[in-house]
Amino acid sequence: MKPAVIIICAAALLVAGVTMALSLDSTGGRGMEVYAMQKCALCHSISGIGGKKMALDEVGSRLKPEDIRKWVQNPKSMKADTTMKAYPNLPEKDLRDLVAYLSSLK
Ligand code: HEC
């Protein structure tokens, strides 16, 4: 192969890789951003990073997406005496991305 062909191939692979990384980021990434913005990590940890109250590492296998949604919007509907803060005013899109992200933790 000529060097030019190799360079073109390498460039094409790089573009494909970056595109893939970006599309992955727009699913898990958005929810992760919401998680960070809402400061869930004050109380919760994921992969050992964050508060000590409760790890959310495998929450996607413990809870159904509807239940994760309820925990965020109205934790007292899940556990009457919980100390978790409610997030009733989260925009629908943020809530959806956040729930999708947490559901992916298995
Ligand atoms: C003030 C501390 C605090 C904050 C902030 C907080 N939580 Fe919680 N959360 C808790 C506690 C404590 C529990 C455990 C339930 C209990 O025993 O009260 C819990 C439970 C949960 C559960 C259920 C976990 C399970 O396995 O049953 C989910 C899901 C959850 N929180 C998500 C979130 C998300 C998402 C955020 C950010 C939007 C958040 N929490 C912010 C304290 C908090």
Side-chain angles (χ1 to χ4, degrees), residues 6-77:
I6 293 171
I7 289 168
I8 290 167
C9 287
L13 277 176
L14 190 73
V15 170
V18 168
T19 314
M20 231 163 75
L22 284 178
S23 63
L24 279 178
D25 192 52
S26 65
T27 45
R30 267 278 308 160
M32 234 184 250
E33 245 170 60
V34 177
Y35 181 86
M37 263 163 15
Q38 300 303 325
K39 307 203 167 49
C40 312
L42 284 178
C43 299
H44 292 287
S45 66
I46 292 176
S47 309
I49 300 165
K52 299 277 177 276
K53 282 203 205 283
M54 187 169 208
L56 290 179
D57 287 291
E58 290 178 356
V59 70
S61 28
R62 271 200 307 276
L63 295 174
K64 293 192 294 262
E66 307 93 83
D67 289 339
I68 297 179
R69 173 183 277 263
K70 281 191 209 152
W71 266 110
V72 176
Q73 280 190 312
N74 185 7
K76 292 211 188 319
S77 72

Side-chain angles (χ1 to χ4, degrees), residues 70-97:
K70 281 191 209 152
W71 266 110
V72 176
Q73 280 190 312
N74 185 7
K76 292 211 188 319
S77 72
M78 297 299 286
K79 187 178 171 203
D81 64 346
T82 185
T83 52
M84 176 165 155
K85 177 175 153 31
Y87 297 81
N89 301 318
L90 219 55
E92 174 59 26
K93 176 162 177 22
D94 286 5
L95 186 61
R96 216 180 316 129
D97 290 340

